[in-house]
Amino acid sequence: MSTDTDTQNLTLVQAVRDGLRTEMQRDDDVIVLGEDVAKNGGVFRATEGLYEEFGDDRVIDTPLAESGIVGTSIGMAAYGLRPVPEIQFMGFIYPAFDQIVSHAARLRTRTRGRFTCPMVVRAPYGGGIRAPEHHSESKEAFFVHEPGLKVVIPSTPADTKGLLASAIRDPDPVVFLEPKLIYRAFREDVPTGDHTVPLGEAAVRREGSDVSVYTWGAMTRPTMEAAGTLAEDGVDCEVIDLRTLSPLDRETIVDSFEKTGRAAVVHEAPRTGGLGGEITAILQEEALLYQEAPIERITGFDTPVPLYALEDYYLPSPTRIEDGIREVVDF
Amino acid sequence: MSDVFDREPDDPVRVLDVSGELVGDRPDLSDDELLALYRHMRLARHFDERAVNLQRQGRMGTYPPLAGQEAAQVASAMALEPRDWIAPSYREHAAVHVHGLSLSDILLYWMGHGAGGWRADVNVLPAAVPIATQVPHTTGLALASKLRGDDAVACAYFGDGATSEGDFHEGLNVAGVFDVPAVFVCNNNGWAISVPRERQTASPTLAGKAAAYGIDGVQVDGMDPLATYAVMRAAVEKAREPGDRPRPTLIEAVQYRFGAHTTADDPTVYRDEAEVEAWRERDPIPRLERFLRETGRLDDDRIDAVEASVREQVSEAIERAENTARPAPDAMFADVYADIPPELGEQRAHLHRLRDRYGDDAFLRD
Ligand SMILES: Cc1ncc(C[n+]2csc(CCOP(=O)(O)OP(=O)(O)O)c2C)c(N)n1
């Protein structure tokens, strides 16, 4: 991890902007494009000020066409630029899905490395902001399932900046999902200037000896809250924020389980086919003999994210997380 | 009818000028229908104002306003029969109301309630939130009508931004190939959030895009209710009885939305207030009002009566929506499949147990 000594106190969305800005200053090939990213500064203001600073060749308002935005970015990347296309909400990424999985992910393979796709597709993801339909999806598993892509979800402002910088510098395509529920929920000191956090490394947010709890993105906070409550009852949780979902940091995942022998996975994505199943499988394959209790998945339900009158019941709450972890430790 | 379609795409159909003077052929509407057109536009305007306020007061979620677009929505929907279908975007509150959804059905949806936004006995698909996805659905509805030998027409509504999406092009292309009874209404309000129409496409008009699919494209002044009605009526009739023209039509209704894109948006960042003011001159409501007054169909008393009735209707709808019981969490699981699969049933039972154990407050975040 490279860091500067100076810091700024930023929200997560400000850290996105700071990360983009720093990388754009570093490398003229970095280009931001998407719907409403330039003049409007993004519907969440994630790109605010970039258009004024870098001009309309580097911060481009595109027509309303996700396949066009990502497909164009693939061509730009193959040519040698480093496009950072924004998809306004993850629920609107599907028109671009074909381009991402059929082309971005396999350009390197298909050309034996002659052409590559150093592109970062950014999208706010997840529920909890009382948004209309299709504005709350958490479908990271679609992309984790695609070889050739990296998938990153930060949960803190400093990580956001650092992981985004690494994603932009990465030679391969990265899907970078931003937990919009916590875009403005809190601030943190973020190094100014150059700051990277390596892809593929999980962070241990809380050390503990009784149970390993794996999570990422917006669910990290309610998970930490549950861990705090459980600590008062003498249950010592180790909370692991995966940060990069592809490639997964199997070593940190397994090491923690070997220490605690118990595990829970918390994600807001639907349960079936979600990443909780993959993490459980890794633990079965690599640390079966350490296992002392069934592994619990605390997840969204296998339903579309409901309209906001019922959204709170859909998302794992601190109480639900706490309950699930107790199942594991009381087994 | 033919002069509606035999014109250049940049030659918009107009019937009323901005001062409400008749400058074209008045469509065949009775006095009652003309007054209904006016009343629905007033209702839509008032509904919209109240809906924005409800959002501001925290009584409703994000809401997409329509003020300025009443003529395009109301007049076009009035040209449809109940057996016809509408596949709307998220902004067509007035059109779907004219077609049969109640105002409280519409409010409930924006209040985050899954019971809203549709109705079993009304041929309106749920609002399409992802842009342009309803365009191919419309082609499908129309193709089904044709295959069944029915004479129902399917109508899609979408914005100018939607014409950039692949779904728009694919939907129109398939419609042209199978010559289906469809009408595609583009509500071109000049902006897709912050992107102006000129940066959306290099095509001189949106109506002109129809040529690529071998169908008719026509531009209409979408803030002129009589012109909109006339064009829509001609397109619907042609869809039912094509004669020697293609059945599908792309209508570009040129108009302007006075308010923000949604209540979550701040247009002052990208839009000039002078532009909004200039378009207010073309506001469809005073325009029709002047015409109806000049021709003796409307006077102060009748206008007051309309005002009072739309206020009452909207207040009642708000009351009904707000008094509708909040959905039980089970509703989330109920209609995902026709029969609930075992795993989903277990998830539902699990949520029941958690609510019993901890109470609902443990789930609600505010
Ligand atoms: C596929 C997709 N991409 C992005 C969005 C986000 N979004 C919602 S409305 C909108 C602009 C729509 O503009 P237009 O089609 O002109 O319709 P208007 O809202 O102006 O009536 C955008 C970009 C979306 N809903 N769906």
Side-chain angles (χ1 to χ4, degrees):
Chain A
M1 188 188 302
S2 70
T3 48
D4 228 275
T5 39
D6 287 347
T7 61
Q8 273 177 290
N9 204 243
L10 302 180
T11 61
L12 198 146
V13 71
Q14 288 171 333
V16 171
R17 185 187 319 145
D18 192 41
L20 289 170
R21 188 165 167 262
T22 310
E23 290 310 298
M24 291 180 82
Q25 285 170 341
R26 244 189 99 249
D27 181 353
D28 287 345
D29 286 340
V30 178
I31 292 185
V32 166
L33 69 165
E35 296 158 12
D36 306 292
V37 298
K39 257 210 160 138
N40 200 31
V43 293
F44 287 104
R45 304 282 173 260
T47 54
E48 193 165 46
L50 299 180
Y51 171 74
E52 288 73 10
E53 182 172 348
F54 298 100
D56 57 8
D57 280 349
R58 303 225 15 228
V59 185
I60 305 172
D61 272 333
T62 65
L64 212 177
E66 289 75 12
S67 181
I69 294 164
V70 172
T72 303
S73 297
I74 292 171
M76 292 164 84
Y79 198 90
L81 299 179
R82 290 195 174 251
V84 185
E86 176 181 293
I87 299 295
Q88 210 157 74
F89 286 87
M90 191 184 199
F92 307 134
I93 208 166
Y94 307 115
F97 193 73
D98 186 23
Q99 290 291 346
I100 297 171
V101 302
S102 303
H103 296 289
R106 49 171 79 198
L107 194 57
R108 178 185 293 279
T109 316
R110 293 173 66 204
T111 63
R112 297 290 175 264
R114 165 65 182 89
F115 295 113
T116 61
C117 193
M119 160 181 94
V120 181
V121 181
R122 291 181 42 243
Y125 89 96
I129 64 160
R130 303 189 157 248
E133 268 186 303
H134 302 89
H135 288 72
S136 308
E137 337 307 288
S138 177
K139 296 293 173 64
E140 59 273 21
F142 289 163
F143 298 102
V144 171
H145 194 59
E146 185 59 41
L149 293 179
K150 293 183 179 176
V151 180
V152 176
I153 305 188
S155 75
T156 69
D159 271 7
T160 298
K161 177 173 178 181
L163 289 166
L164 182 56
S166 298
I168 292 172
R169 297 181 202 181
D170 197 274
D172 285 311
V174 178
V175 175
F176 192 87
L177 301 175
E178 298 164 8
K180 62 178 177 290
L181 176 62
I182 55 170
Y183 258 161
R184 296 183 167 82
F186 62 102
R187 287 173 181 276
E188 178 181 77
D189 285 341
V190 176
T192 48
D194 213 47
H195 168 60
T196 58
V197 172
L199 305 187
E201 286 183 18
V204 180
R205 295 290 175 208
R206 187 183 197 289
E207 291 199 29
S209 53
D210 292 334
V211 53
S212 305
V213 188
Y214 304 98
T215 191
W216 55 90
M219 288 298 106
T220 307
R221 279 164 67 82
T223 301
M224 289 296 281
E225 196 182 320
T229 314
L230 285 160
E232 290 166 18
D233 280 358
V235 177
D236 193 16
C237 298
E238 177 145 299
V239 178
I240 298 188
D241 172 3
L242 295 177
R243 301 198 289 195
T244 300
L245 304 186
S246 179
L248 273 172
D249 180 354
R250 294 168 78 102
E251 195 179 317
T252 302
I253 292 171
V254 172
D255 283 354
S256 176
F257 189 66
E258 287 181 355
K259 182 168 77 175
T260 63
R262 292 168 195 267
V265 186
V266 184
H267 61 65
E268 64 174 284
R271 180 185 179 90
T272 301
L275 217 59
E278 185 63 33
I279 292 160
T280 305
I282 290 172
L283 298 178
Q284 298 294 297
E285 284 165 2
E286 302 200 13
L288 181 66
L289 298 182
Y290 293 84
Q291 184 169 349
E292 289 173 22
I295 297 164
E296 187 78 13
R297 286 181 287 166
I298 303 146
T299 68
F301 299 114
D302 291 337
T303 72
V305 185
L307 296 184
Y308 76 77
L310 288 178
E311 189 180 23
D312 288 354
Y313 288 99
Y314 177 88
L315 292 177
S317 64
T319 306
R320 215 167 113 197
I321 297 168
E322 193 191 314
D323 182 88
I325 295 172
R326 280 189 200 280
E327 289 282 318
V328 182
V329 289
D330 293 346
F331 178 74
Chain B
M1 180 165 118
S2 64
D3 56 325
V4 166
F5 300 114
D6 289 328
R7 56 201 301 136
E8 294 302 316
D10 61 351
D11 174 20
V13 178
R14 280 209 182 91
V15 173
L16 284 183
D17 73 6
V18 291
S19 62
E21 288 289 324
L22 215 48
V23 293
D25 294 339
R26 190 168 77 73
D28 180 22
L29 281 168
S30 69
D31 285 357
D32 280 352
E33 287 168 330
L34 284 169
L35 289 174
L37 176 55
Y38 174 73
R39 199 162 14 82
H40 268 124
M41 284 167 50
R42 291 286 306 262
L43 181 67
R45 178 69 55 92
H46 184 62
F47 173 85
D48 201 57
E49 288 163 357
R50 293 288 315 262
V52 170
N53 281 333
L54 289 176
Q55 192 282 332
R56 302 249 183 276
Q57 295 164 10
R59 290 156 71 187
M60 196 160 79
T62 305
Y63 168 81
L66 65 81
Q69 306 190 241
E70 292 88 350
Q73 293 198 23
V74 171
S76 61
M78 278 181 65
L80 297 170
E81 301 292 333
R83 66 181 182 285
D84 297 332
W85 286 76
I86 288 182
S89 85
Y90 44 80
R91 202 187 295 286
E92 267 75 55
H93 324 304
V96 299
H97 173 62
V98 170
H99 207 57
L101 294 191
S102 73
L103 296 179
S104 57
D105 290 332
I106 296 162
L107 285 170
L108 270 182
Y109 178 74
W110 296 103
M111 289 177 172
H113 200 311
W118 58 274
R119 219 175 146 126
D121 58 348
V122 173
N123 291 342
V124 170
L125 293 190
V129 174
I131 300 296
T133 46
Q134 72 275 32
V135 177
H137 304 162
T138 304
T139 298
L141 290 166
L143 180 57
S145 168
K146 187 177 174 186
L147 293 174
R148 280 269 180 88
D150 299 336
D151 72 342
V153 171
C155 168
Y157 287 97
F158 47 89
D160 42 303
T163 66
S164 297
E165 291 279 6
D167 273 351
F168 165 82
H169 300 278
E170 298 184 26
L172 260 65
N173 188 54
V174 175
V177 167
F178 295 103
D179 197 23
V180 300
V183 184
F184 301 98
V185 181
C186 177
N187 282 322
N188 170 10
N189 61 48
W191 293 91
I193 309 188
S194 71
V195 177
R197 149 71 186 81
E198 308 74 59
R199 292 300 300 259
Q200 197 61 244
T201 173
S203 302
T205 68
L206 301 175
K209 290 179 189 280
Y213 308 109
I215 68 176
D216 284 317
V218 53
Q219 210 180 46
V220 60
D221 179 345
M223 294 171 98
D224 172 347
L226 299 187
T228 304
Y229 179 83
V231 169
M232 184 70 178
R233 187 61 186 265
V236 170
E237 279 170 8
K238 176 167 68 91
R240 281 197 236 284
E241 296 285 343
D244 53 7
R245 303 196 77 92
R247 289 167 184 269
T249 307
L250 170 62
I251 298 175
E252 176 188 358
V254 180
Q255 61 207 270
Y256 199 80
R257 186 188 60 243
F258 301 138
H261 171 74
T262 67
T263 49
D265 171 49
D266 173 13
T268 60
V269 179
Y270 52 81
R271 202 173 73 169
D272 191 359
E273 198 47 39
E275 180 184 285
V276 185
E277 288 316 310
W279 280 90
R280 282 196 193 277
E281 308 267 293
R282 298 169 65 167
D283 190 330
I285 295 180
R287 199 159 160 182
L288 182 64
E289 191 173 292
R290 260 177 263 140
F291 169 75
L292 295 176
R293 264 183 195 279
E294 305 278 298
T295 55
R297 295 176 170 94
L298 207 54
D299 56 22
D300 285 347
D301 286 349
R302 296 186 88 162
I303 291 175
D304 288 348
V306 169
E307 170 81 19
S309 93
V310 303
R311 283 178 176 273
E312 194 182 308
Q313 244 183 295
V314 174
S315 292
E316 273 175 13
I318 293 171
E319 210 178 296
R320 197 165 326 125
E322 290 194 320
N323 288 336
T324 303
R326 296 291 92 192
D330 273 3
M332 175 163 70
F333 301 91
D335 291 302
V336 184
Y337 300 95
D339 302 311
I340 191 162
E343 162 67 8
L344 194 54
E346 277 163 33
Q347 292 178 20
R348 181 176 61 184
H350 183 63
L351 181 58
H352 272 292
R353 284 197 298 280
L354 290 172
R355 290 171 61 215
D356 283 348
R357 198 177 304 158
Y358 300 105
D360 279 326
D361 283 351
F363 296 87
L364 303 178
R365 283 173 316 124
D366 39 63

